[in-house]
Amino acid sequence: MSKRVLTTESGAPVADNQNSASAGVGGPLLLQDQHLLEKLARFNRERIPERVVHARGSGAYGYFEVTDDVTGFTHADFLSTVGRRTEVFLRFSTVADSLGGADAVRDPRGFAVKFYTEEGNYDLVGNNTPVFFIKDPVKFPDFIHSQKRDPFTGRQEPDNVWDFWAHSPEATHQVTWLMGDRGIPASYRHMNGYGSHTYQWTNAEGAAFFVKYHFKTNQGVRSLSGEQAAELAGKDPNSHQTDLLQAIERGVNPSWTLYVQIMPAAEAADYRFNPFDLTKVWPHRDYPLQRVGRLVLDRNPDNVFAEVEQAAFSPNNFVPGIGPSPDKMLQGRLFAYADAHRYRLGVNHTLLAVNAPKATTAQNYGRDGLMAANPQGRHAKNYEPNSYDGPVETGRPLAAPLGVAGHTGTHEAPPHTKDDDFHQAGELYRLMSEEEKRRLVANIAGGLSQVSRDDVIEKNLAHFHAADPEYGKRVEEAVHALRED
């Protein structure tokens, strides 16, 4: 059987892919060698700007299957029938490091799910922690700058990390999560995922509910100690990618059970703390977990760059029956995520295979721009309304409207009776076993003791004291012991 012919990008056959054209034997190369110039020019452009956060990632395809009836809470079509399956793509990631960083590090993990529903793509963008470090998006660039490489030293600096946390007491809850036993997952398969934000569901009658998503791993939660992680990162920086790839290739398909917490919208205003605060969890005794379905990953991408690096998730990709809440961090991300992808991938990134709808067809009036395919044909119009049978609006909102009132301005969130930055961090600490507490204290002290300024150390210690007196006392003693050595 004859082999396929190698061609240039314009389709012309390539005569020699081993030697460049030159001016005589041993002479200089020729500018007319189109094949050489095309290869080098494409090679120079093989990389695109990496994500500012969540740069290091892995992903896989699979399906989501509904196991329980939730139609009383949402009219989302893909959740409408028990047994119904929807194709998904899930991207895992670390947050702070660059594309070349190691997988086994102490860092939150991104957990982003794209549901290819028949009503369009629904993106649920979360983490492996139910809370986050800050509650207002105006602080997000500052927070990330404090955690990334210092512009002078070119490395992550404990002074920057802990100085920001010292001035952000709302971070205490997430710091307790991060420095605890679940701060370094053993693999992507062995960690939970959370929507983290509060979202809105609306049922067929128009009743609104606020929800939080919990993906519980069916493999069991497994984590690494700091020592185990350092050893693994040195041996195989790609440890989590390797584990996910090989598990699926062996047919050991990882899965998660999706649960939701559901709060009737009318209860939000008088709840004892702000239910839209990303630094808080809703106690399960108030809003128990309700099972929704099962997410299974069963197919690896064929090309990591095309399908993982170019995968674009945006929390403003909703479907009918699901919408946003007044969660400030979510509101900021509704803009920021989509804008990041337009910068990295171009305005037509939604036409890429991994991002395009699979169970339906996108129909709109977006045209042109970088890498435009524009398959609509010669008679398609790029404006609406029109007289040419173009797509039209439905008049049906995706979710229930959110009530607003008052004057514009830079307001703090309205106070609730039990709003504070430390209570839930203390509750999390008190839930831990003695061994878990010991490791948590050691992890915090190991980082905080490296800070050069005493006032920054004291500000952070005050946060742990406020969360729980024993917690603060143990961290303080451990830090002082390390600084005296």
Side-chain angles (χ1 to χ4, degrees), residues 231-266:
E231 181 179 356
L232 181 58
K235 288 181 177 178
D236 181 11
N238 308 301
S239 57
H240 289 29
Q241 162 69 13
T242 301
D243 175 84
L244 181 66
L245 174 76
Q246 292 182 351
I248 295 174
E249 288 297 293
R250 295 194 313 268
V252 181
N253 299 327
S255 67
W256 289 258
T257 299
L258 172 61
Y259 300 87
V260 292
Q261 291 177 283
I262 300 176
M263 173 189 292

PDB file of all heavy atoms in Angstrom, residues 231-266:
ATOM      1  N   GLU A 231       8.795  14.571  47.080  1.00  0.00           N
ATOM      2  CA  GLU A 231       9.469  13.444  46.436  1.00  0.00           C
ATOM      3  C   GLU A 231       8.825  13.118  45.091  1.00  0.00           C
ATOM      4  O   GLU A 231       9.520  12.908  44.086  1.00  0.00           O
ATOM      5  CB  GLU A 231       9.414  12.221  47.349  1.00  0.00           C
ATOM      6  CG  GLU A 231      10.112  10.999  46.767  1.00  0.00           C
ATOM      7  CD  GLU A 231      10.063   9.797  47.705  1.00  0.00           C
ATOM      8  OE1 GLU A 231       9.548   9.942  48.833  1.00  0.00           O
ATOM      9  OE2 GLU A 231      10.536   8.706  47.287  1.00  0.00           O
ATOM     10  N   LEU A 232       7.481  13.096  45.059  1.00  0.00           N
ATOM     11  CA  LEU A 232       6.790  12.757  43.821  1.00  0.00           C
ATOM     12  C   LEU A 232       6.997  13.824  42.749  1.00  0.00           C
ATOM     13  O   LEU A 232       7.219  13.499  41.573  1.00  0.00           O
ATOM     14  CB  LEU A 232       5.298  12.593  44.102  1.00  0.00           C
ATOM     15  CG  LEU A 232       4.411  12.213  42.905  1.00  0.00           C
ATOM     16  CD1 LEU A 232       4.875  10.902  42.285  1.00  0.00           C
ATOM     17  CD2 LEU A 232       2.953  12.115  43.338  1.00  0.00           C
ATOM     18  N   ALA A 233       6.956  15.099  43.135  1.00  0.00           N
ATOM     19  CA  ALA A 233       7.164  16.173  42.168  1.00  0.00           C
ATOM     20  C   ALA A 233       8.547  16.103  41.544  1.00  0.00           C
ATOM     21  O   ALA A 233       8.723  16.435  40.364  1.00  0.00           O
ATOM     22  CB  ALA A 233       6.943  17.533  42.839  1.00  0.00           C
ATOM     23  N   GLY A 234       9.533  15.667  42.338  1.00  0.00           N
ATOM     24  CA  GLY A 234      10.881  15.516  41.794  1.00  0.00           C
ATOM     25  C   GLY A 234      11.008  14.325  40.855  1.00  0.00           C
ATOM     26  O   GLY A 234      11.721  14.387  39.853  1.00  0.00           O
ATOM     27  N   LYS A 235      10.315  13.240  41.181  1.00  0.00           N
ATOM     28  CA  LYS A 235      10.393  12.041  40.341  1.00  0.00           C
ATOM     29  C   LYS A 235       9.581  12.180  39.066  1.00  0.00           C
ATOM     30  O   LYS A 235      10.016  11.756  37.991  1.00  0.00           O
ATOM     31  CB  LYS A 235       9.889  10.821  41.135  1.00  0.00           C
ATOM     32  CG  LYS A 235      10.815  10.338  42.222  1.00  0.00           C
ATOM     33  CD  LYS A 235      10.224   9.104  42.914  1.00  0.00           C
ATOM     34  CE  LYS A 235      11.160   8.552  43.967  1.00  0.00           C
ATOM     35  NZ  LYS A 235      10.551   7.376  44.667  1.00  0.00           N
ATOM     36  N   ASP A 236       8.372  12.737  39.171  1.00  0.00           N
ATOM     37  CA  ASP A 236       7.476  12.860  38.021  1.00  0.00           C
ATOM     38  C   ASP A 236       6.656  14.127  38.158  1.00  0.00           C
ATOM     39  O   ASP A 236       5.597  14.119  38.782  1.00  0.00           O
ATOM     40  CB  ASP A 236       6.552  11.639  37.919  1.00  0.00           C
ATOM     41  CG  ASP A 236       5.606  11.723  36.715  1.00  0.00           C
ATOM     42  OD1 ASP A 236       5.809  12.615  35.862  1.00  0.00           O
ATOM     43  OD2 ASP A 236       4.678  10.898  36.627  1.00  0.00           O
ATOM     44  N   PRO A 237       7.127  15.251  37.593  1.00  0.00           N
ATOM     45  CA  PRO A 237       6.351  16.490  37.669  1.00  0.00           C
ATOM     46  C   PRO A 237       4.957  16.352  37.076  1.00  0.00           C
ATOM     47  O   PRO A 237       4.057  17.120  37.403  1.00  0.00           O
ATOM     48  CB  PRO A 237       7.198  17.490  36.872  1.00  0.00           C
ATOM     49  CG  PRO A 237       8.580  16.914  36.858  1.00  0.00           C
ATOM     50  CD  PRO A 237       8.396  15.430  36.866  1.00  0.00           C
ATOM     51  N   ASN A 238       4.769  15.361  36.188  1.00  0.00           N
ATOM     52  CA  ASN A 238       3.485  15.148  35.523  1.00  0.00           C
ATOM     53  C   ASN A 238       2.658  14.068  36.210  1.00  0.00           C
ATOM     54  O   ASN A 238       1.838  13.404  35.573  1.00  0.00           O
ATOM     55  CB  ASN A 238       3.716  14.745  34.057  1.00  0.00           C
ATOM     56  CG  ASN A 238       4.628  15.703  33.328  1.00  0.00           C
ATOM     57  OD1 ASN A 238       4.334  16.882  33.237  1.00  0.00           O
ATOM     58  ND2 ASN A 238       5.739  15.198  32.816  1.00  0.00           N
ATOM     59  N   SER A 239       2.816  13.908  37.517  1.00  0.00           N
ATOM     60  CA  SER A 239       2.243  12.758  38.213  1.00  0.00           C
ATOM     61  C   SER A 239       0.728  12.669  38.069  1.00  0.00           C
ATOM     62  O   SER A 239       0.181  11.586  37.827  1.00  0.00           O
ATOM     63  CB  SER A 239       2.614  12.820  39.702  1.00  0.00           C
ATOM     64  OG  SER A 239       2.178  14.047  40.288  1.00  0.00           O
ATOM     65  N   HIS A 240       0.024  13.774  38.204  1.00  0.00           N
ATOM     66  CA  HIS A 240      -1.437  13.737  38.144  1.00  0.00           C
ATOM     67  C   HIS A 240      -1.923  13.506  36.714  1.00  0.00           C
ATOM     68  O   HIS A 240      -2.909  12.802  36.493  1.00  0.00           O
ATOM     69  CB  HIS A 240      -2.024  15.039  38.700  1.00  0.00           C
ATOM     70  CG  HIS A 240      -1.869  15.176  40.188  1.00  0.00           C
ATOM     71  ND1 HIS A 240      -0.832  14.609  40.898  1.00  0.00           N
ATOM     72  CD2 HIS A 240      -2.625  15.833  41.114  1.00  0.00           C
ATOM     73  CE1 HIS A 240      -0.964  14.904  42.184  1.00  0.00           C
ATOM     74  NE2 HIS A 240      -2.051  15.641  42.336  1.00  0.00           N
ATOM     75  N   GLN A 241      -1.233  14.130  35.759  1.00  0.00           N
ATOM     76  CA  GLN A 241      -1.558  13.893  34.353  1.00  0.00           C
ATOM     77  C   GLN A 241      -1.335  12.424  33.993  1.00  0.00           C
ATOM     78  O   GLN A 241      -2.169  11.781  33.346  1.00  0.00           O
ATOM     79  CB  GLN A 241      -0.687  14.789  33.465  1.00  0.00           C
ATOM     80  CG  GLN A 241      -0.585  14.382  31.995  1.00  0.00           C
ATOM     81  CD  GLN A 241      -1.862  14.562  31.222  1.00  0.00           C
ATOM     82  OE1 GLN A 241      -2.789  15.205  31.700  1.00  0.00           O
ATOM     83  NE2 GLN A 241      -1.934  13.998  30.026  1.00  0.00           N
ATOM     84  N   THR A 242      -0.204  11.877  34.441  1.00  0.00           N
ATOM     85  CA  THR A 242       0.112  10.472  34.159  1.00  0.00           C
ATOM     86  C   THR A 242      -0.941   9.552  34.752  1.00  0.00           C
ATOM     87  O   THR A 242      -1.418   8.610  34.106  1.00  0.00           O
ATOM     88  CB  THR A 242       1.501  10.123  34.730  1.00  0.00           C
ATOM     89  OG1 THR A 242       2.485  10.983  34.141  1.00  0.00           O
ATOM     90  CG2 THR A 242       1.857   8.674  34.447  1.00  0.00           C
ATOM     91  N   ASP A 243      -1.325   9.810  35.998  1.00  0.00           N
ATOM     92  CA  ASP A 243      -2.298   8.962  36.674  1.00  0.00           C
ATOM     93  C   ASP A 243      -3.644   8.982  35.956  1.00  0.00           C
ATOM     94  O   ASP A 243      -4.252   7.929  35.725  1.00  0.00           O
ATOM     95  CB  ASP A 243      -2.476   9.446  38.120  1.00  0.00           C
ATOM     96  CG  ASP A 243      -3.557   8.682  38.857  1.00  0.00           C
ATOM     97  OD1 ASP A 243      -3.260   7.598  39.392  1.00  0.00           O
ATOM     98  OD2 ASP A 243      -4.720   9.159  38.878  1.00  0.00           O
ATOM     99  N   LEU A 244      -4.128  10.174  35.586  1.00  0.00           N
ATOM    100  CA  LEU A 244      -5.424  10.282  34.904  1.00  0.00           C
ATOM    101  C   LEU A 244      -5.391   9.601  33.551  1.00  0.00           C
ATOM    102  O   LEU A 244      -6.290   8.825  33.203  1.00  0.00           O
ATOM    103  CB  LEU A 244      -5.799  11.758  34.753  1.00  0.00           C
ATOM    104  CG  LEU A 244      -7.143  12.037  34.086  1.00  0.00           C
ATOM    105  CD1 LEU A 244      -8.293  11.542  34.962  1.00  0.00           C
ATOM    106  CD2 LEU A 244      -7.292  13.534  33.795  1.00  0.00           C
ATOM    107  N   LEU A 245      -4.349   9.867  32.782  1.00  0.00           N
ATOM    108  CA  LEU A 245      -4.217   9.276  31.450  1.00  0.00           C
ATOM    109  C   LEU A 245      -4.191   7.755  31.521  1.00  0.00           C
ATOM    110  O   LEU A 245      -4.942   7.060  30.816  1.00  0.00           O
ATOM    111  CB  LEU A 245      -2.938   9.795  30.784  1.00  0.00           C
ATOM    112  CG  LEU A 245      -2.563   9.181  29.435  1.00  0.00           C
ATOM    113  CD1 LEU A 245      -3.462   9.753  28.337  1.00  0.00           C
ATOM    114  CD2 LEU A 245      -1.103   9.435  29.110  1.00  0.00           C
ATOM    115  N   GLN A 246      -3.344   7.217  32.373  1.00  0.00           N
ATOM    116  CA  GLN A 246      -3.171   5.760  32.425  1.00  0.00           C
ATOM    117  C   GLN A 246      -4.391   5.058  32.995  1.00  0.00           C
ATOM    118  O   GLN A 246      -4.743   3.962  32.545  1.00  0.00           O
ATOM    119  CB  GLN A 246      -1.919   5.424  33.234  1.00  0.00           C
ATOM    120  CG  GLN A 246      -0.629   5.850  32.548  1.00  0.00           C
ATOM    121  CD  GLN A 246       0.617   5.469  33.324  1.00  0.00           C
ATOM    122  OE1 GLN A 246       0.545   5.025  34.469  1.00  0.00           O
ATOM    123  NE2 GLN A 246       1.779   5.645  32.713  1.00  0.00           N
ATOM    124  N   ALA A 247      -5.065   5.679  33.959  1.00  0.00           N
ATOM    125  CA  ALA A 247      -6.263   5.058  34.530  1.00  0.00           C
ATOM    126  C   ALA A 247      -7.337   4.886  33.457  1.00  0.00           C
ATOM    127  O   ALA A 247      -7.928   3.803  33.316  1.00  0.00           O
ATOM    128  CB  ALA A 247      -6.799   5.897  35.682  1.00  0.00           C
ATOM    129  N   ILE A 248      -7.582   5.935  32.680  1.00  0.00           N
ATOM    130  CA  ILE A 248      -8.615   5.853  31.651  1.00  0.00           C
ATOM    131  C   ILE A 248      -8.203   4.902  30.537  1.00  0.00           C
ATOM    132  O   ILE A 248      -9.033   4.141  30.013  1.00  0.00           O
ATOM    133  CB  ILE A 248      -8.933   7.264  31.111  1.00  0.00           C
ATOM    134  CG1 ILE A 248      -9.555   8.122  32.222  1.00  0.00           C
ATOM    135  CG2 ILE A 248      -9.874   7.198  29.905  1.00  0.00           C
ATOM    136  CD1 ILE A 248      -9.788   9.569  31.845  1.00  0.00           C
ATOM    137  N   GLU A 249      -6.936   4.907  30.174  1.00  0.00           N
ATOM    138  CA  GLU A 249      -6.462   3.981  29.140  1.00  0.00           C
ATOM    139  C   GLU A 249      -6.616   2.530  29.587  1.00  0.00           C
ATOM    140  O   GLU A 249      -6.866   1.642  28.764  1.00  0.00           O
ATOM    141  CB  GLU A 249      -4.994   4.269  28.797  1.00  0.00           C
ATOM    142  CG  GLU A 249      -4.777   5.561  28.016  1.00  0.00           C
ATOM    143  CD  GLU A 249      -5.452   5.547  26.652  1.00  0.00           C
ATOM    144  OE1 GLU A 249      -5.023   4.763  25.793  1.00  0.00           O
ATOM    145  OE2 GLU A 249      -6.421   6.312  26.459  1.00  0.00           O
ATOM    146  N   ARG A 250      -6.501   2.256  30.892  1.00  0.00           N
ATOM    147  CA  ARG A 250      -6.694   0.904  31.416  1.00  0.00           C
ATOM    148  C   ARG A 250      -8.168   0.548  31.558  1.00  0.00           C
ATOM    149  O   ARG A 250      -8.495  -0.592  31.886  1.00  0.00           O
ATOM    150  CB  ARG A 250      -6.032   0.754  32.796  1.00  0.00           C
ATOM    151  CG  ARG A 250      -4.533   0.884  32.816  1.00  0.00           C
ATOM    152  CD  ARG A 250      -3.954   0.372  34.147  1.00  0.00           C
ATOM    153  NE  ARG A 250      -4.646   0.875  35.317  1.00  0.00           N
ATOM    154  CZ  ARG A 250      -4.301   1.977  35.986  1.00  0.00           C
ATOM    155  NH1 ARG A 250      -3.284   2.717  35.566  1.00  0.00           N
ATOM    156  NH2 ARG A 250      -4.990   2.362  37.061  1.00  0.00           N
ATOM    157  N   GLY A 251      -9.046   1.504  31.350  1.00  0.00           N
ATOM    158  CA  GLY A 251     -10.471   1.264  31.543  1.00  0.00           C
ATOM    159  C   GLY A 251     -10.922   1.445  32.969  1.00  0.00           C
ATOM    160  O   GLY A 251     -12.055   1.092  33.321  1.00  0.00           O
ATOM    161  N   VAL A 252     -10.061   2.019  33.823  1.00  0.00           N
ATOM    162  CA  VAL A 252     -10.438   2.333  35.198  1.00  0.00           C
ATOM    163  C   VAL A 252     -10.976   3.758  35.186  1.00  0.00           C
ATOM    164  O   VAL A 252     -10.248   4.727  35.411  1.00  0.00           O
ATOM    165  CB  VAL A 252      -9.231   2.193  36.153  1.00  0.00           C
ATOM    166  CG1 VAL A 252      -9.648   2.500  37.591  1.00  0.00           C
ATOM    167  CG2 VAL A 252      -8.620   0.809  36.056  1.00  0.00           C
ATOM    168  N   ASN A 253     -12.246   3.905  34.890  1.00  0.00           N
ATOM    169  CA  ASN A 253     -12.822   5.214  34.630  1.00  0.00           C
ATOM    170  C   ASN A 253     -13.226   5.915  35.925  1.00  0.00           C
ATOM    171  O   ASN A 253     -14.109   5.429  36.633  1.00  0.00           O
ATOM    172  CB  ASN A 253     -14.043   5.079  33.720  1.00  0.00           C
ATOM    173  CG  ASN A 253     -13.689   4.483  32.367  1.00  0.00           C
ATOM    174  OD1 ASN A 253     -12.594   4.703  31.849  1.00  0.00           O
ATOM    175  ND2 ASN A 253     -14.612   3.737  31.788  1.00  0.00           N
ATOM    176  N   PRO A 254     -12.607   7.040  36.244  1.00  0.00           N
ATOM    177  CA  PRO A 254     -12.942   7.732  37.490  1.00  0.00           C
ATOM    178  C   PRO A 254     -14.348   8.317  37.434  1.00  0.00           C
ATOM    179  O   PRO A 254     -14.856   8.671  36.362  1.00  0.00           O
ATOM    180  CB  PRO A 254     -11.882   8.837  37.577  1.00  0.00           C
ATOM    181  CG  PRO A 254     -11.438   9.057  36.168  1.00  0.00           C
ATOM    182  CD  PRO A 254     -11.545   7.725  35.488  1.00  0.00           C
ATOM    183  N   SER A 255     -14.980   8.433  38.584  1.00  0.00           N
ATOM    184  CA  SER A 255     -16.337   8.965  38.632  1.00  0.00           C
ATOM    185  C   SER A 255     -16.548   9.764  39.912  1.00  0.00           C
ATOM    186  O   SER A 255     -15.844   9.586  40.900  1.00  0.00           O
ATOM    187  CB  SER A 255     -17.367   7.832  38.540  1.00  0.00           C
ATOM    188  OG  SER A 255     -17.322   7.001  39.686  1.00  0.00           O
ATOM    189  N   TRP A 256     -17.533  10.631  39.853  1.00  0.00           N
ATOM    190  CA  TRP A 256     -17.924  11.470  40.982  1.00  0.00           C
ATOM    191  C   TRP A 256     -19.445  11.460  41.084  1.00  0.00           C
ATOM    192  O   TRP A 256     -20.153  11.406  40.065  1.00  0.00           O
ATOM    193  CB  TRP A 256     -17.455  12.917  40.780  1.00  0.00           C
ATOM    194  CG  TRP A 256     -15.979  13.111  40.899  1.00  0.00           C
ATOM    195  CD1 TRP A 256     -15.294  13.613  41.963  1.00  0.00           C
ATOM    196  CD2 TRP A 256     -14.981  12.823  39.901  1.00  0.00           C
ATOM    197  NE1 TRP A 256     -13.940  13.644  41.705  1.00  0.00           N
ATOM    198  CE2 TRP A 256     -13.723  13.166  40.448  1.00  0.00           C
ATOM    199  CE3 TRP A 256     -15.029  12.306  38.607  1.00  0.00           C
ATOM    200  CZ2 TRP A 256     -12.537  13.012  39.746  1.00  0.00           C
ATOM    201  CZ3 TRP A 256     -13.851  12.142  37.903  1.00  0.00           C
ATOM    202  CH2 TRP A 256     -12.615  12.491  38.468  1.00  0.00           C
ATOM    203  N   THR A 257     -19.972  11.515  42.276  1.00  0.00           N
ATOM    204  CA  THR A 257     -21.409  11.660  42.488  1.00  0.00           C
ATOM    205  C   THR A 257     -21.702  13.126  42.769  1.00  0.00           C
ATOM    206  O   THR A 257     -21.074  13.727  43.645  1.00  0.00           O
ATOM    207  CB  THR A 257     -21.888  10.791  43.659  1.00  0.00           C
ATOM    208  OG1 THR A 257     -21.612   9.415  43.365  1.00  0.00           O
ATOM    209  CG2 THR A 257     -23.384  10.959  43.873  1.00  0.00           C
ATOM    210  N   LEU A 258     -22.623  13.695  41.999  1.00  0.00           N
ATOM    211  CA  LEU A 258     -22.985  15.096  42.183  1.00  0.00           C
ATOM    212  C   LEU A 258     -24.123  15.228  43.184  1.00  0.00           C
ATOM    213  O   LEU A 258     -25.168  14.586  43.051  1.00  0.00           O
ATOM    214  CB  LEU A 258     -23.404  15.724  40.848  1.00  0.00           C
ATOM    215  CG  LEU A 258     -23.998  17.145  40.945  1.00  0.00           C
ATOM    216  CD1 LEU A 258     -22.984  18.122  41.531  1.00  0.00           C
ATOM    217  CD2 LEU A 258     -24.483  17.619  39.578  1.00  0.00           C
ATOM    218  N   TYR A 259     -23.897  16.056  44.191  1.00  0.00           N
ATOM    219  CA  TYR A 259     -24.916  16.448  45.147  1.00  0.00           C
ATOM    220  C   TYR A 259     -25.080  17.969  45.076  1.00  0.00           C
ATOM    221  O   TYR A 259     -24.156  18.686  44.666  1.00  0.00           O
ATOM    222  CB  TYR A 259     -24.520  16.073  46.575  1.00  0.00           C
ATOM    223  CG  TYR A 259     -24.304  14.602  46.820  1.00  0.00           C
ATOM    224  CD1 TYR A 259     -23.065  14.004  46.591  1.00  0.00           C
ATOM    225  CD2 TYR A 259     -25.336  13.800  47.309  1.00  0.00           C
ATOM    226  CE1 TYR A 259     -22.858  12.654  46.816  1.00  0.00           C
ATOM    227  CE2 TYR A 259     -25.138  12.457  47.560  1.00  0.00           C
ATOM    228  CZ  TYR A 259     -23.893  11.883  47.306  1.00  0.00           C
ATOM    229  OH  TYR A 259     -23.703  10.544  47.542  1.00  0.00           O
ATOM    230  N   VAL A 260     -26.239  18.461  45.485  1.00  0.00           N
ATOM    231  CA  VAL A 260     -26.432  19.900  45.595  1.00  0.00           C
ATOM    232  C   VAL A 260     -27.043  20.224  46.950  1.00  0.00           C
ATOM    233  O   VAL A 260     -27.754  19.413  47.544  1.00  0.00           O
ATOM    234  CB  VAL A 260     -27.344  20.460  44.478  1.00  0.00           C
ATOM    235  CG1 VAL A 260     -26.664  20.377  43.121  1.00  0.00           C
ATOM    236  CG2 VAL A 260     -28.696  19.772  44.460  1.00  0.00           C
ATOM    237  N   GLN A 261     -26.718  21.408  47.440  1.00  0.00           N
ATOM    238  CA  GLN A 261     -27.445  22.010  48.549  1.00  0.00           C
ATOM    239  C   GLN A 261     -28.416  23.017  47.950  1.00  0.00           C
ATOM    240  O   GLN A 261     -28.035  23.798  47.059  1.00  0.00           O
ATOM    241  CB  GLN A 261     -26.490  22.711  49.513  1.00  0.00           C
ATOM    242  CG  GLN A 261     -25.597  21.776  50.295  1.00  0.00           C
ATOM    243  CD  GLN A 261     -24.628  22.555  51.172  1.00  0.00           C
ATOM    244  OE1 GLN A 261     -23.637  23.083  50.684  1.00  0.00           O
ATOM    245  NE2 GLN A 261     -24.921  22.636  52.472  1.00  0.00           N
ATOM    246  N   ILE A 262     -29.642  23.013  48.429  1.00  0.00           N
ATOM    247  CA  ILE A 262     -30.690  23.845  47.833  1.00  0.00           C
ATOM    248  C   ILE A 262     -31.311  24.741  48.894  1.00  0.00           C
ATOM    249  O   ILE A 262     -31.815  24.266  49.913  1.00  0.00           O
ATOM    250  CB  ILE A 262     -31.779  22.967  47.182  1.00  0.00           C
ATOM    251  CG1 ILE A 262     -31.162  22.087  46.084  1.00  0.00           C
ATOM    252  CG2 ILE A 262     -32.901  23.829  46.611  1.00  0.00           C
ATOM    253  CD1 ILE A 262     -32.135  21.113  45.447  1.00  0.00           C
ATOM    254  N   MET A 263     -31.255  26.053  48.641  1.00  0.00           N
ATOM    255  CA  MET A 263     -31.829  27.056  49.539  1.00  0.00           C
ATOM    256  C   MET A 263     -32.951  27.791  48.801  1.00  0.00           C
ATOM    257  O   MET A 263     -32.689  28.419  47.763  1.00  0.00           O
ATOM    258  CB  MET A 263     -30.752  28.059  49.968  1.00  0.00           C
ATOM    259  CG  MET A 263     -31.300  29.237  50.784  1.00  0.00           C
ATOM    260  SD  MET A 263     -30.077  30.569  51.061  1.00  0.00           S
ATOM    261  CE  MET A 263     -28.913  29.744  52.159  1.00  0.00           C
ATOM    262  N   PRO A 264     -34.189  27.744  49.270  1.00  0.00           N
ATOM    263  CA  PRO A 264     -35.233  28.576  48.660  1.00  0.00           C
ATOM    264  C   PRO A 264     -34.789  30.034  48.648  1.00  0.00           C
ATOM    265  O   PRO A 264     -34.249  30.538  49.647  1.00  0.00           O
ATOM    266  CB  PRO A 264     -36.444  28.356  49.562  1.00  0.00           C
ATOM    267  CG  PRO A 264     -36.202  26.995  50.167  1.00  0.00           C
ATOM    268  CD  PRO A 264     -34.716  26.907  50.362  1.00  0.00           C
ATOM    269  N   ALA A 265     -34.991  30.704  47.533  1.00  0.00           N
ATOM    270  CA  ALA A 265     -34.460  32.062  47.375  1.00  0.00           C
ATOM    271  C   ALA A 265     -34.928  32.999  48.481  1.00  0.00           C
ATOM    272  O   ALA A 265     -34.185  33.897  48.915  1.00  0.00           O
ATOM    273  CB  ALA A 265     -34.841  32.609  46.004  1.00  0.00           C
ATOM    274  N   ALA A 266     -36.136  32.807  48.980  1.00  0.00           N
ATOM    275  CA  ALA A 266     -36.679  33.704  49.994  1.00  0.00           C
ATOM    276  C   ALA A 266     -35.922  33.627  51.312  1.00  0.00           C
ATOM    277  O   ALA A 266     -36.016  34.545  52.145  1.00  0.00           O
ATOM    278  CB  ALA A 266     -38.153  33.381  50.224  1.00  0.00           C
TER     279      ALA A 266
END
